[in-house]
mmCIF file of all heavy atoms in Angstrom:
data_model
loop_
_atom_site.group_PDB
_atom_site.id
_atom_site.type_symbol
_atom_site.label_atom_id
_atom_site.label_comp_id
_atom_site.label_asym_id
_atom_site.label_seq_id
_atom_site.Cartn_x
_atom_site.Cartn_y
_atom_site.Cartn_z
ATOM 1 N N ASN A 358 45.536 -16.694 79.726
ATOM 2 C CA ASN A 358 46.723 -15.907 79.393
ATOM 3 C C ASN A 358 46.669 -15.301 78.018
ATOM 4 O O ASN A 358 47.710 -15.073 77.372
ATOM 5 C CB ASN A 358 47.970 -16.756 79.545
ATOM 6 C CG ASN A 358 49.188 -15.901 79.845
ATOM 7 O OD1 ASN A 358 49.089 -14.864 80.536
ATOM 8 N ND2 ASN A 358 50.336 -16.305 79.360
ATOM 9 N N ARG A 359 45.467 -15.006 77.532
ATOM 10 C CA ARG A 359 45.288 -14.307 76.261
ATOM 11 C C ARG A 359 45.060 -12.851 76.533
ATOM 12 O O ARG A 359 44.335 -12.502 77.435
ATOM 13 C CB ARG A 359 44.147 -14.896 75.473
ATOM 14 C CG ARG A 359 43.919 -14.221 74.130
ATOM 15 C CD ARG A 359 42.833 -14.923 73.335
ATOM 16 N NE ARG A 359 42.778 -14.398 72.005
ATOM 17 C CZ ARG A 359 41.976 -13.436 71.591
ATOM 18 N NH1 ARG A 359 41.106 -12.931 72.430
ATOM 19 N NH2 ARG A 359 41.970 -13.010 70.336
ATOM 20 N N MET A 360 45.696 -11.987 75.748
ATOM 21 C CA MET A 360 45.487 -10.551 75.863
ATOM 22 C C MET A 360 44.349 -10.139 74.960
ATOM 23 O O MET A 360 44.356 -10.407 73.755
ATOM 24 C CB MET A 360 46.751 -9.784 75.498
ATOM 25 C CG MET A 360 47.925 -10.015 76.482
ATOM 26 S SD MET A 360 47.521 -9.600 78.205
ATOM 27 C CE MET A 360 47.375 -7.823 78.115
ATOM 28 N N VAL A 361 43.345 -9.485 75.520
ATOM 29 C CA VAL A 361 42.186 -9.015 74.771
ATOM 30 C C VAL A 361 42.231 -7.485 74.742
ATOM 31 O O VAL A 361 42.266 -6.838 75.788
ATOM 32 C CB VAL A 361 40.864 -9.477 75.411
ATOM 33 C CG1 VAL A 361 39.655 -8.900 74.707
ATOM 34 C CG2 VAL A 361 40.777 -11.009 75.404
ATOM 35 N N SER A 362 42.298 -6.943 73.550
ATOM 36 C CA SER A 362 42.278 -5.506 73.414
ATOM 37 C C SER A 362 40.909 -4.905 73.698
ATOM 38 O O SER A 362 39.914 -5.621 73.628
ATOM 39 C CB SER A 362 42.721 -5.088 72.001
ATOM 40 O OG SER A 362 41.687 -5.347 71.108
ATOM 41 N N LEU A 363 40.844 -3.649 74.005
ATOM 42 C CA LEU A 363 39.581 -3.000 74.253
ATOM 43 C C LEU A 363 38.733 -2.960 72.982
ATOM 44 O O LEU A 363 37.490 -3.028 73.036
ATOM 45 C CB LEU A 363 39.793 -1.548 74.763
ATOM 46 C CG LEU A 363 40.556 -1.432 76.058
ATOM 47 C CD1 LEU A 363 40.522 0.009 76.562
ATOM 48 C CD2 LEU A 363 39.955 -2.344 77.156
ATOM 49 N N ASN A 364 39.375 -2.914 71.835
ATOM 50 C CA ASN A 364 38.665 -2.994 70.566
ATOM 51 C C ASN A 364 37.941 -4.328 70.419
ATOM 52 O O ASN A 364 36.804 -4.392 69.971
ATOM 53 C CB ASN A 364 39.606 -2.785 69.376
ATOM 54 C CG ASN A 364 40.282 -1.455 69.428
ATOM 55 O OD1 ASN A 364 41.182 -1.225 70.219
ATOM 56 N ND2 ASN A 364 39.857 -0.502 68.604
ATOM 57 N N GLU A 365 38.627 -5.405 70.807
ATOM 58 C CA GLU A 365 37.995 -6.754 70.744
ATOM 59 C C GLU A 365 36.838 -6.839 71.699
ATOM 60 O O GLU A 365 35.827 -7.478 71.451
ATOM 61 C CB GLU A 365 39.013 -7.811 71.077
ATOM 62 C CG GLU A 365 40.040 -8.099 70.000
ATOM 63 C CD GLU A 365 40.936 -9.237 70.414
ATOM 64 O OE1 GLU A 365 41.835 -9.007 71.234
ATOM 65 O OE2 GLU A 365 40.780 -10.355 69.900
ATOM 66 N N LEU A 366 36.979 -6.163 72.869
ATOM 67 C CA LEU A 366 35.931 -6.218 73.842
ATOM 68 C C LEU A 366 34.642 -5.593 73.314
ATOM 69 O O LEU A 366 33.530 -6.041 73.617
ATOM 70 C CB LEU A 366 36.353 -5.452 75.121
ATOM 71 C CG LEU A 366 35.471 -5.573 76.355
ATOM 72 C CD1 LEU A 366 35.367 -7.004 76.761
ATOM 73 C CD2 LEU A 366 36.015 -4.714 77.458
ATOM 74 N N ASN A 367 34.788 -4.555 72.501
ATOM 75 C CA ASN A 367 33.601 -3.966 71.893
ATOM 76 C C ASN A 367 33.051 -4.786 70.772
ATOM 77 O O ASN A 367 31.840 -4.801 70.509
ATOM 78 C CB ASN A 367 33.966 -2.564 71.329
ATOM 79 C CG ASN A 367 33.970 -1.516 72.436
ATOM 80 O OD1 ASN A 367 33.215 -1.583 73.367
ATOM 81 N ND2 ASN A 367 34.910 -0.565 72.338
ATOM 82 N N ASP A 368 33.939 -5.494 70.014
ATOM 83 C CA ASP A 368 33.525 -6.135 68.774
ATOM 84 C C ASP A 368 33.124 -7.598 68.965
ATOM 85 O O ASP A 368 32.229 -8.123 68.264
ATOM 86 C CB ASP A 368 34.651 -6.067 67.728
ATOM 87 C CG ASP A 368 34.917 -4.642 67.294
ATOM 88 O OD1 ASP A 368 34.023 -3.808 67.454
ATOM 89 O OD2 ASP A 368 36.039 -4.400 66.815
ATOM 90 N N ARG A 369 33.803 -8.312 69.859
ATOM 91 C CA ARG A 369 33.667 -9.754 69.863
ATOM 92 C C ARG A 369 33.017 -10.323 71.135
ATOM 93 O O ARG A 369 32.255 -11.278 71.083
ATOM 94 C CB ARG A 369 35.047 -10.361 69.682
ATOM 95 C CG ARG A 369 35.033 -11.907 69.828
ATOM 96 C CD ARG A 369 36.355 -12.507 69.474
ATOM 97 N NE ARG A 369 36.374 -13.919 69.786
ATOM 98 C CZ ARG A 369 37.424 -14.714 69.514
ATOM 99 N NH1 ARG A 369 38.461 -14.239 68.928
ATOM 100 N NH2 ARG A 369 37.384 -15.996 69.826
ATOM 101 N N TYR A 370 33.311 -9.735 72.263
ATOM 102 C CA TYR A 370 32.889 -10.290 73.550
ATOM 103 C C TYR A 370 31.707 -9.551 74.165
ATOM 104 O O TYR A 370 31.580 -8.373 73.983
ATOM 105 C CB TYR A 370 34.032 -10.328 74.546
ATOM 106 C CG TYR A 370 35.198 -11.196 74.175
ATOM 107 C CD1 TYR A 370 36.294 -10.720 73.466
ATOM 108 C CD2 TYR A 370 35.170 -12.541 74.524
ATOM 109 C CE1 TYR A 370 37.367 -11.543 73.115
ATOM 110 C CE2 TYR A 370 36.256 -13.398 74.166
ATOM 111 C CZ TYR A 370 37.331 -12.872 73.456
ATOM 112 O OH TYR A 370 38.353 -13.708 73.147
ATOM 113 N N ALA A 371 30.904 -10.299 74.890
ATOM 114 C CA ALA A 371 29.842 -9.709 75.720
ATOM 115 C C ALA A 371 30.299 -9.826 77.175
ATOM 116 O O ALA A 371 30.756 -10.897 77.600
ATOM 117 C CB ALA A 371 28.529 -10.435 75.528
ATOM 118 N N VAL A 372 30.190 -8.729 77.913
ATOM 119 C CA VAL A 372 30.562 -8.757 79.304
ATOM 120 C C VAL A 372 29.386 -9.295 80.104
ATOM 121 O O VAL A 372 28.331 -8.667 80.188
ATOM 122 C CB VAL A 372 30.946 -7.364 79.828
ATOM 123 C CG1 VAL A 372 31.272 -7.409 81.327
ATOM 124 C CG2 VAL A 372 32.146 -6.797 79.070
ATOM 125 N N LEU A 373 29.537 -10.489 80.677
ATOM 126 C CA LEU A 373 28.461 -11.112 81.457
ATOM 127 C C LEU A 373 28.383 -10.448 82.862
ATOM 128 O O LEU A 373 27.304 -10.128 83.334
ATOM 129 C CB LEU A 373 28.698 -12.581 81.604
ATOM 130 C CG LEU A 373 28.404 -13.461 80.388
ATOM 131 C CD1 LEU A 373 28.772 -14.878 80.657
ATOM 132 C CD2 LEU A 373 26.911 -13.359 80.005
#
Side-chain angles (χ1 to χ4, degrees):
N358 206 33
R359 180 174 188 265
M360 294 302 292
V361 175
S362 72
L363 299 187
N364 299 75
E365 285 183 284
L366 189 61
N367 280 325
D368 295 339
R369 173 173 173 177
Y370 293 94
V372 178
L373 285 175

